[in-house]
Amino acid sequence: MTEPRSPRSDRSPWNWVLLPAVVIPLIPVLFNHAEPRLLGIPLFYWLQLAFILVSVAATLLVYRATRR
Amino acid sequence: MNEHITEIVIFTALFLLVSGMGFVAARWRRADDLASLNEWGLGGRNFGSWITWFLVGGDLYTAYTFVAVPALLFGAGAMGFFAVPYTVVVYPLVMLVLIRLWSVSHVHGLVTPADFVRVRFGSPTLALLVAVTGIVATMPYIALQLIGIEAVLKTMGVTGDLPLIIAFAILAAYTYQSGLRAPALIAFVKDTLIYIVILVAIIYIPARLGGFGAIFDAAADKFAGTPAPGDGILLNANNQLQYITLALGSALALFLYPHSVTGVLASRSRDVIKRNMSALPAYSLLLGLIALLGYMAIAAGITPIGKDVNTVVPQLFDQMFPDWFTGVAFAAIGIGALVPAAIMSIAAANLFTRNIYKEYIRRDATDAQEARVSKLTSLVVKVGAVLCILLIDPQFSIDLQLIGGVIILQTLPAVALGLYTRWFHRVGLISGWAAGMTAGMVLLYNISNPANNHAHFGGSAFPLNKLGLDTSMTIYAGFLALLVNLVVAALVTLLARRMGASEGVDGTAPRDYTADAGDPEVKEDVELAGST
């Protein structure tokens, strides 16, 4: 516990996985459509809810891959 | 009032149960001594993944959110759905930033974002600006939580100010007593109730209204029949830029709010934070489903009580559910207001104690004195919030909250960028803050809203044609103000360097930003750092 630890870094190529999860939900042309509907829900709504999975997958992947 | 008696009984019973938990929380994961900010204000800095998930979730997704977001969809349509991309991009966006904040805060015993700025840039002035910005942005947010409770009370036919005052007095008492442990414990109940209510609502209500297809058709019909050009169930060419800048700007602002930082710093390790970044989006799904309640209210033919659109969701529940379940749903909203209100008042109190009291009034304050000042300040903050709602038009709080989002963004260069780089000069950051604040105020002042007869501060969508651009597009005012802030901060930094202005002492080392639980410099019992 008391010996000095080796220097470590938060840098990792895995961190780039986070970028699409931030950018994709901010491109309206991808989701600003009514069709196709899913269970009667316009694409605008169900696809943006589906982006939640992208965010979860990206954060989970980075967490797992960079865990020491 | 008789027709609502079942609802009122169940609401009151659950409310009292939760209040009891709030008082008992002082004994939960008991500390030897609650008389320090680490214990009272950060729950011992020892919360694991589950508690952090409930605490931060309960903190970010507030009762006001649950009432106001569907109200936005009810009134304006697709634009109100910005809350979903906002809470989707925020976690991948802040994940790497927050773990650095956690590390440096644990090494140096920091409690507030302003504490960090103080150590990093060696500038009490900049720290004071960050602290005051945080307090001013948080106050109306607390007041808004009362609007959530008020909407429920109104729907139950409960009128008068007394019930609201009693609810907040109870809240104030157990926050004083138990500190951050109270909302952490209550958050379990709050979120369980909310998840149950929403799952039931999202299945049961569409079934009664003829399915989602019928619900969206009803919403589309309503918007087609209104004269307003900006509404509809899809975005149009003019509000897409507003949609994404509002989502991104809100995401950037979220973890600058002192109460979000409080939740993060209370966690046990970097791992807990990282894991929560993939677990917290569960609340975003919940929020997305809740947002759709606004359209269900349209399909069900709900009309707001008076002009208060915040009552549409409570009324939808009232009309659709059996009385006893409506009571549960109302309790979920009411309790949902208590958790964030408690955390926000603790965060605001910590800012006052650490960055104003200790910095300017009593430099040699002991841990016990700090805790006592914070406890008292949390009471003052809540009284202020209640007075805000009772004495001033609630619309004023909503306007203030809007301004709050814009001004808290102006702390981004110092707090968030400061975690990565010391490039900005402290004078540059102060100038950038001042420029961003001014720009934000001017922009908001020039936004009118014909819908509620506001000539100024009518919303956050700034029309770009007011800048002389030939377009009908709008943009989020906070985003523009942040750009101004960054440009000014950079220019003044270059200027200050050239003139050889003193840089101030950086009290942190690069390795502080990657320290983790178990490292020698991250102490089990963190000593709160002095102000130098």
Side-chain angles (χ1 to χ4, degrees):
Chain A
M1 276 284 276
T2 46
E3 65 261 33
R5 66 186 166 86
S6 56
R8 63 167 87 100
S9 167
D10 282 334
R11 286 177 195 278
S12 160
W14 286 104
N15 292 344
W16 288 103
V17 173
L18 297 173
L19 189 66
V22 175
V23 174
I24 291 173
L26 297 176
I27 309 174
V29 72
L30 291 179
F31 53 78
N32 196 25
H33 312 283
E35 306 293 336
R37 290 187 176 218
L38 181 73
L39 303 171
I41 304 175
L43 178 112
F44 182 82
Y45 300 89
W46 67 256
L47 186 57
Q48 290 195 75
L49 288 176
F51 287 155
I52 294 174
L53 297 177
V54 176
S55 168
V56 171
T59 45
L60 202 61
L61 187 65
V62 172
Y63 163 62
R64 295 265 173 184
T66 61
R67 194 161 45 166
R68 284 178 292 268
Chain B
M1 187 154 156
N2 266 338
E3 52 178 320
H4 294 292
I5 198 75
T6 318
E7 297 166 10
I8 294 173
V9 168
I10 291 183
F11 178 86
T12 313
L14 283 169
F15 197 91
L16 290 178
L17 168 82
V18 156
S19 306
M21 288 177 67
F23 286 106
V24 175
R27 298 161 183 275
W28 177 49
R29 300 165 68 92
R30 187 174 195 145
D32 300 333
D33 185 8
L34 262 179
S36 85
L37 275 195
N38 270 323
E39 290 300 335
W40 183 83
L42 288 176
R45 293 195 194 236
N46 200 20
F47 289 155
S49 294
W50 279 104
I51 304 174
T52 302
W53 187 70
F54 277 110
L55 181 70
V56 176
D59 187 12
L60 304 186
Y61 301 82
T62 69
Y64 176 69
T65 322
F66 289 153
V67 167
V69 169
L72 261 176
L73 269 85
F74 180 88
M79 190 63 218
F81 212 62
F82 88 91
V84 171
Y86 154 30
T87 55
V88 169
V89 302
V90 65
Y91 302 110
L93 191 66
V94 300
M95 183 179 193
L96 301 172
V97 186
L98 290 182
I99 52 175
R100 287 175 75 84
L101 179 64
W102 185 93
S103 292
V104 72
S105 299
H106 276 241
V107 172
H108 291 274
L110 314 175
V111 182
T112 69
D115 279 351
F116 164 69
V117 170
R118 175 76 172 85
V119 177
R120 175 66 147 168
F121 294 98
S123 167
T125 313
L126 187 57
L128 178 68
L129 293 178
V130 171
V132 171
T133 311
I135 294 172
V136 171
T138 307
M139 287 285 286
Y141 218 154
I142 302 172
L144 282 191
Q145 302 309 319
L146 283 160
I147 293 187
I149 301 186
E150 208 178 23
V152 167
L153 292 175
K154 253 189 209 173
T155 309
M156 291 194 294
V158 178
T159 49
D161 299 331
L162 196 61
L164 258 190
I165 296 176
I166 294 173
F168 243 48
I170 296 174
L171 167 72
Y174 67 66
T175 311
Y176 181 89
Q177 158 102 5
S178 310
L180 195 64
R181 284 178 169 79
L185 194 57
I186 292 173
F188 284 99
V189 183
K190 174 223 155 187
D191 291 338
T192 309
L193 282 179
I194 296 230
Y195 274 103
I196 292 171
V197 168
I198 297 310
L199 282 177
V200 171
I202 212 71
I203 295 166
Y204 181 74
I205 298 179
R208 285 196 53 182
L209 292 173
F212 275 109
I215 290 168
F216 280 97
D217 290 343
D221 286 347
K222 179 201 157 178
F223 294 127
T226 59
D231 61 9
I233 63 165
L234 292 181
L235 299 174
N236 56 53
N238 294 329
N239 62 10
Q240 290 187 12
L241 183 64
Q242 161 74 1
Y243 189 83
I244 59 167
T245 49
L246 182 57
L248 180 61
S250 306
L252 290 171
L254 185 61
F255 278 92
L256 294 170
Y257 274 106
H259 61 271
S260 323
V261 171
T262 300
V264 168
L265 292 189
S267 59
R268 186 196 297 141
S269 68
R270 286 158 69 93
D271 237 33
V272 169
I273 298 170
K274 277 190 163 182
R275 208 178 303 166
N276 260 281
M277 291 301 117
S278 22
L280 281 166
Y283 286 95
S284 308
L285 179 63
L286 189 70
L287 179 62
L289 298 175
I290 289 172
L292 298 182
L293 293 174
Y295 288 164
M296 296 179 204
I298 294 177
I302 303 282
T303 48
I305 298 178
K307 283 196 156 183
D308 185 359
V309 285
N310 288 324
T311 57
V312 297
V313 167
Q315 282 198 85
L316 179 71
F317 289 163
D318 191 32
Q319 182 176 323
M320 289 287 158
F321 291 147
D323 284 353
W324 69 270
F325 196 72
T326 308
V328 175
F330 286 1
I333 298 177
I335 297 165
L338 300 181
V339 173
I343 305 172
M344 288 168 192
S345 65
I346 289 170
N350 287 349
L351 277 173
F352 174 79
T353 306
R354 297 277 303 172
N355 308 109
I356 297 175
Y357 175 76
K358 186 156 176 146
E359 183 80 54
Y360 292 101
I361 300 172
R362 190 157 189 161
R363 309 208 78 162
D364 58 347
T366 62
D367 280 2
Q369 281 170 327
E370 281 192 21
R372 205 185 65 228
V373 171
S374 249
K375 288 166 91 167
L376 288 173
T377 313
S378 82
L379 291 182
V380 174
V381 165
K382 286 197 204 66
V383 172
V386 174
L387 290 179
C388 256
I389 290 292
L390 296 186
L391 302 182
I392 314 171
D393 181 3
Q395 181 60 42
F396 189 65
S397 293
I398 298 174
D399 295 349
L400 281 179
Q401 146 71 4
L402 184 77
I403 298 171
V406 172
I407 68 172
I408 199 72
L409 256 183
Q410 307 314 319
T411 63
L412 180 135
V415 178
L417 298 185
L419 283 166
Y420 280 92
T421 172
R422 187 64 166 70
W423 181 80
F424 286 104
H425 194 281
R426 50 187 182 169
V427 179
L429 290 170
I430 293 172
S431 315
W433 177 89
M437 292 294 261
T438 312
M441 288 305 130
V442 170
L443 293 172
L444 289 171
Y445 183 81
N446 281 296
I447 296 171
S448 57
N449 186 351
N452 58 9
N453 284 326
H454 272 44
H456 306 290
F457 298 106
S460 64
F462 183 77
L464 282 173
N465 63 17
K466 291 201 177 181
L467 294 177
L469 299 173
D470 182 24
T471 170
S472 342
M473 288 207 277
T474 55
I475 189 170
Y476 176 47
F479 197 76
L480 266 188
L482 178 61
L483 293 180
V484 172
N485 181 337
L486 286 169
V487 169
V488 171
L491 290 178
V492 176
T493 294
L494 293 173
L495 194 68
R497 292 261 151 76
R498 176 153 294 192
M499 292 169 58
S502 160
E503 292 277 353
V505 179
D506 182 356
T508 66
R511 56 183 285 153
D512 297 348
Y513 294 88
T514 53
D516 202 353
D519 290 341
E521 61 265 55
V522 177
K523 300 156 200 104
E524 283 290 307
D525 292 309
V526 190
E527 294 278 320
L528 288 181
S531 51
T532 42

